[in-house]
Amino acid sequence: MPHALVFIVELLAAAVVVVVLCRLAHLPAILGYLAVGIALGPHALGVVPLDETTRYLGEIGVVFLMFSIGLEFSLPQLHAMRRAVFGLGFAQVVITTVGAMVVLHFLDYGWAAGFVLGGALAMSSTAIVSKMLAERMELSSPHGRDVMGILIFQDLAIVAFLIIIPALGKSGQELAIDLGIAAVKAAAALALILFLGQAPMRAWFHVVARQRSPELFVLNVLLVTLGLGALTASLGLSLALGAFLAGMLIAETEYRYQVEDDIKPFRDVLLGLFFVVVGTTLDPRVVFASFGTVALLVLVPVTAKVVLVAVLARAFGDSLATSLRVSFYLGQAGELALVMLALAVSSGVLPDALLQPVLAAMIVSMCAAPVVIQLADPLVRRLTSNDWLARAALVTQIAAQTMGRQDHVLVCGYGRSGQNLARLLAAEDIGYVAIDADPQRVREAAPDGGSDVMYGDASRREVLSSAGLAKARAVVITFTNTAVALKILHHVHQIRPDLPVIVRTVDDSEIARLEAAGAAEVVPEVLEGSLMLASHSLLVVGVPLNRVLRRIRTVREERYGLFRGFFRGASDVPDAADHRQMRLHTVVLPDRASAIGRTLAEIGLDGAVEVTGVRRRGARSQRPDAQWRFEAGDVVVLLGSPEALLAAEERLLKSRGAVSGPRPA
């Protein structure tokens, strides 16, 4: 078997296994690729050689990373975020770089090494931070916007670093000349490609797209990316700069999102290979031998970066709490820092003795980043009293607006689904209170501050309580974030275990977790979308409307516990004003309830009432049979007319001593 094939199979097998383990441990895949490089590199098992071919393959991954960054380069977006990008971001990168140059100059490493390490220290992990901001629904929060603005400037600053670093290996007048020539070439390439290349690029993509060939479109994207990279490399600049410019060109065309989807598999795989190559440069023996140095290089630079970002954010007008959150999110190193270190070593700017502990410290800081971000919120609350005051003021404001509300529906999330639900509730004259964490959306929905839509984080216990959870009729979670939904379910079932909670989710994969956490019902978008698709399809092919409706009702009755029995004879249901209309009602069984210790058959509920489910101690709702024996704290969901529900509730709750047997019908 050819040696090259064995090498590829070993590399792929190691990468797949380690990345799967990282996913299971909820760690970034970057860390898995780095671990593969360390294990298979020349300093360990020796499977991956550290030669020019390997380094070149790794550089292709950087090319596609820079191409993706170019695709995200949007002038309107930069203008909207100019304070965070060109204010906070610029100050953070410049001060960090200059500070490191001064420190390393006094440590006799030279200003060039200081420039590289300062720039690397300024970078944070876009992959880790943006993912966690999205998962925690904090992208639109004040600290989320500042964090993303700083990350955007870091992505732009890497272009300048990639131009300057290769020239730093020279000295004196030669360095100044090379930097000047590189700057002129970069400016010329930027002007030529962006100003003169726009029209030809759009026209060429039109020609390719008209052929309606997906493989041709992907080949064209690869050609443009690598072709412009090769062009800038031939001018003495980096491959990555050409890829960045290619991304900027395509970002201005209507093909941007298609290109982004097509290039993502190549980018992720090749970028993974780059991180494997970075891992091969790390010598574990050197790291363990200088463990104290590595620990010092983690604590001191990260602490200095956290303090600097907090001070800058405060200087730019953020509250102390927001400033601290921004700094905790950006304290770690990033993938672009690893790109800079690899380029600096290949250019002879950074000595290998300094590279090893620095590389190890950056990897450790990236590993610790998810933990630090998780702990940021409780740490900020401990460190700042004004954050408590701000939260207290927010809770007080919500409580003041909801003071007179009762028997309302608490809507968590006011996106499209929340707004549609609110309209239907209003049409039925049912009161609601909607909580949303997007301040802009709340301002648009309630410009005078007097609406049913309020700003707040629904995953916080105090916000739910202030929004009238104790007096609410039901809770509806309208967004599809399972982690946040589980937190809300936990708080609701601690405060109001009898309250039904309806949760929206994307598909069936999280239904079991949500129902186990106490959701009365989970509504997957995939199921509802498929039902609508099926109903329209059946109507189009000639199936009668009443038969289509019957089919849909049957599916819903089988899937949704709360609909069982509700649609039976639906065509004969009288007007909503009729006092005999079937309704759902929830009963919590206290310690001395008549039903405690008795079976459903022994209680003998009237046949006009149906027990559609029982929730016990926060577990998922179960449909009881005749031998189901009730316990204290059970939440019983009944279906029937108002009169029948009243009689059934009396039979369930009447004190034990008053009832000796089944109540006669």
Side-chain angles (χ1 to χ4, degrees):
M1 187 181 293
H3 176 71
L5 181 58
V6 175
F7 163 68
I8 292 172
V9 170
E10 290 174 339
L11 186 61
L12 288 174
V16 169
V17 171
V18 174
V19 172
V20 166
L21 293 175
C22 284
R23 294 293 188 190
L24 291 174
H26 302 288
L27 294 173
I30 295 170
L31 303 180
Y33 289 122
L34 291 168
V36 170
I38 295 169
L40 301 185
H43 305 295
L45 298 178
V47 175
V48 180
L50 189 57
D51 53 21
E52 284 302 315
T53 303
T54 306
R55 287 197 178 98
Y56 188 77
L57 287 174
E59 190 175 354
I60 298 297
V62 180
V63 165
F64 283 95
L65 172 64
M66 295 306 298
F67 177 77
S68 297
I69 292 173
L71 281 176
E72 296 296 327
F73 188 87
S74 166
L75 291 176
Q77 180 188 23
L78 288 179
H79 184 265
M81 301 177 68
R82 57 189 179 278
R83 171 193 161 276
V85 176
F86 298 108
L88 263 174
F90 175 80
Q92 184 258 331
V93 171
V94 170
I95 293 174
T96 304
T97 305
V98 172
M101 289 172 65
V102 172
V103 171
L104 267 75
H105 176 70
F106 283 111
L107 294 176
D108 294 329
Y109 282 104
W111 69 268
F115 178 83
V116 173
L117 292 179
L121 176 61
M123 300 297 148
S124 303
S125 176
T126 303
I128 296 173
V129 174
S130 60
K131 180 176 182 291
M132 294 202 69
L133 280 172
E135 286 179 352
R136 294 162 62 89
M137 297 183 67
E138 293 176 349
L139 283 168
S140 59
S141 64
H143 65 274
R145 290 192 294 271
D146 279 354
V147 167
M148 291 308 299
I150 294 172
L151 289 174
I152 287 173
F153 186 84
Q154 291 176 2
D155 290 345
L156 297 177
I158 190 66
V159 178
F161 283 113
L162 293 181
I163 293 172
I164 296 171
I165 288 174
L168 294 179
K170 299 172 183 178
S171 59
Q173 186 176 1
E174 189 179 5
L175 172 61
I177 293 172
D178 283 356
L179 284 177
I181 293 173
V184 170
K185 286 181 178 179
L190 189 70
L192 184 67
I193 292 174
L194 292 184
F195 291 104
L196 299 181
Q198 291 267 343
M201 181 66 71
R202 180 176 274 105
W204 175 243
F205 264 85
H206 282 326
V207 172
V208 173
R210 277 199 294 267
Q211 310 311 310
R212 300 183 181 278
S213 171
E215 63 270 24
L216 178 61
F217 192 86
V218 173
L219 282 172
N220 183 58
V221 172
L222 295 175
L223 171 64
V224 170
T225 306
L226 296 176
L228 284 179
L231 176 62
T232 54
S234 67
L235 296 174
L237 302 169
S238 67
L239 281 168
L241 176 62
F244 176 78
L245 296 177
M248 289 184 65
L249 274 179
I250 297 173
E252 299 299 324
T253 71
E254 58 270 38
Y255 302 103
R256 169 185 171 180
Y257 297 107
Q258 181 63 47
V259 168
E260 194 171 14
D261 287 341
D262 288 341
I263 210 68
K264 192 174 186 297
F266 297 98
R267 182 198 67 192
D268 292 347
V269 171
L270 292 171
L271 194 56
L273 179 59
F274 165 74
F275 289 121
V276 170
V277 173
V278 170
T280 62
T281 63
L282 187 64
D283 188 346
R285 292 168 297 182
V286 175
V287 173
F288 285 118
S290 55
F291 181 78
T293 304
V294 172
L296 194 66
L297 287 174
V298 173
L299 293 175
V300 175
V302 169
T303 303
K305 186 177 179 182
V306 167
V307 172
L308 173 63
V309 173
V311 170
L312 288 175
R314 196 82 173 96
F316 276 83
D318 285 340
S319 67
L320 179 58
T322 299
S323 302
L324 288 173
R325 287 190 177 93
V326 172
S327 65
F328 284 133
Y329 268 81
L330 296 174
Q332 81 292 133
E335 51 273 5
L336 294 179
L338 303 180
V339 173
M340 292 175 60
L341 290 181
L343 182 61
V345 171
S346 63
S347 303
V349 178
L350 206 62
D352 191 64
L354 185 59
L355 170 70
Q356 295 297 326
V358 168
L359 187 60
M362 288 187 170
I363 293 172
V364 169
S365 74
M366 291 172 69
C367 292
V371 178
V372 173
I373 291 172
Q374 289 286 356
L375 296 175
D377 213 44
L379 281 172
V380 169
R381 287 203 298 268
R382 285 179 177 272
L383 293 172
T384 59
S385 58
N386 65 326
D387 189 48
W388 278 109
L389 293 173
R391 290 182 185 278
L394 174 63
V395 169
T396 303
Q397 181 182 3
I398 296 174
Q401 290 180 263
T402 60
M403 190 172 295
R405 306 289 181 89
Q406 62 181 15
D407 211 28
H408 58 281
V409 176
L410 190 53
V411 181
C412 301
Y414 199 64
R416 292 185 179 182
S417 298
Q419 291 170 38
N420 287 330
L421 171 62
R423 293 189 190 101
L424 290 173
L425 291 172
E428 292 293 331
D429 200 24
I430 298 173
Y432 69 89
V433 172
I435 304 173
D436 197 276
D438 187 334
Q440 181 178 352
R441 182 180 294 145
V442 173
R443 280 196 302 270
E444 291 177 356
D448 56 353
S451 173
D452 299 316
V453 186
M454 301 164 195
Y455 173 74
D457 183 354
S459 67
R460 298 190 179 281
R461 182 189 180 100
E462 64 270 19
V463 171
L464 290 171
S465 297
S466 64
L469 180 64
K471 299 178 289 183
R473 183 189 302 190
V475 175
V476 184
I477 302 173
T478 66
F479 44 77
T480 58
N481 188 313
T482 302
V484 179
L486 290 171
K487 289 177 66 176
I488 295 174
L489 283 165
H490 173 72
H491 295 321
V492 170
H493 286 293
Q494 279 192 328
I495 301 170
R496 285 281 306 276
D498 62 309
L499 199 63
V501 183
I502 297 91
V503 184
R504 170 186 163 221
T505 187
V506 175
D507 51 36
D508 292 345
S509 61
E510 299 292 346
I511 288 179
R513 288 180 66 197
L514 292 166
E515 288 183 339
E521 198 60 83
V522 182
V523 181
E525 291 179 352
V526 170
L527 175 62
E528 288 304 316
S530 63
L531 286 178
M532 289 299 97
L533 180 65
S535 63
H536 284 75
S537 302
L538 290 173
L539 288 172
V540 167
V541 299
V543 178
L545 176 60
N546 61 341
R547 197 188 306 171
V548 172
L549 293 176
R550 190 161 58 248
R551 293 286 185 193
I552 300 301
R553 289 171 189 161
T554 302
V555 174
R556 284 203 173 109
E557 286 179 12
E558 292 173 353
R559 170 59 191 85
Y560 299 120
L562 296 180
F563 280 168
R564 292 190 187 106
F566 185 77
F567 281 115
R568 190 164 53 244
S571 59
D572 299 323
V573 171
D575 185 78
D578 194 309
H579 67 284
R580 293 174 298 173
Q581 186 183 8
M582 305 285 277
R583 298 181 183 179
L584 286 167
H585 181 60
T586 303
V587 179
V588 181
L589 302 182
D591 292 338
R592 296 189 56 80
S594 170
I596 302 302
R598 303 169 68 193
T599 65
L600 186 58
E602 290 171 349
I603 295 171
L605 291 178
D606 195 313
V609 173
E610 181 181 355
V611 181
T612 64
V614 179
R615 294 198 304 275
R616 176 168 292 169
R617 289 185 289 274
R620 62 176 295 178
S621 179
Q622 301 180 57
R623 188 173 178 82
D625 56 19
Q627 300 308 311
W628 174 277
R629 195 171 297 276
F630 291 98
E631 297 179 4
D634 281 355
V635 181
V636 186
V637 183
L638 304 173
L639 177 70
S641 65
E643 292 84 356
L645 290 172
L646 186 62
E649 182 175 8
E650 182 183 354
R651 185 176 289 271
L652 287 169
L653 297 181
K654 196 170 183 179
S655 62
R656 285 188 200 179
V659 179
S660 58
R663 177 178 169 180

